[in-house]
Amino acid sequence: LACALALLGDTDAAQTHARSSVSLARRIGAGHEEALSLVAQARIALGARPGGRRGVRAGLSRAIAVLALMEAKADLEEAHRLLAKMG
């Protein structure tokens, strides 16, 4: 839902949904889902206005750590690509 809202241009609502997804995944111990939600959150932030990037690097770093442990190669590559895009 977060990515769909971002595509429709409602980045504030998209970020709210992504944050909720991160929070829920963390509470229930769903590490892979948490990491994917962090990656989605970063993707939304990087596509939005420059001021919306606060905390993106830390979220991506956490996602990369989780995805590396899970050996989720494709998801890990996406997280690294987004981190590199930040410069």
Side-chain angles (χ1 to χ4, degrees):
L1 183 57
C3 292
L5 287 167
L7 287 172
L8 292 171
D10 193 348
T11 54
D12 291 335
Q15 286 290 19
T16 298
H17 280 281
R19 280 191 298 274
S20 294
S21 181
V22 169
S23 178
L24 175 61
R26 191 172 290 157
R27 278 197 316 271
I28 65 172
H32 189 242
E33 186 59 37
E34 178 186 353
L36 293 179
S37 296
L38 288 165
V39 170
Q41 196 172 12
R43 192 179 308 112
I44 293 163
L46 291 174
R49 62 195 175 280
R53 294 182 177 193
R54 188 183 58 194
V56 172
R57 189 177 303 276
L60 279 173
S61 294
R62 177 165 173 76
I64 287 168
V66 170
L67 295 168
L69 285 173
M70 299 181 135
E71 298 180 11
K73 186 178 178 182
D75 297 325
L76 185 58
E77 287 172 0
E78 171 69 4
H80 277 294
R81 186 187 66 73
L82 289 169
L83 190 60
K85 187 176 180 181
M86 292 185 70

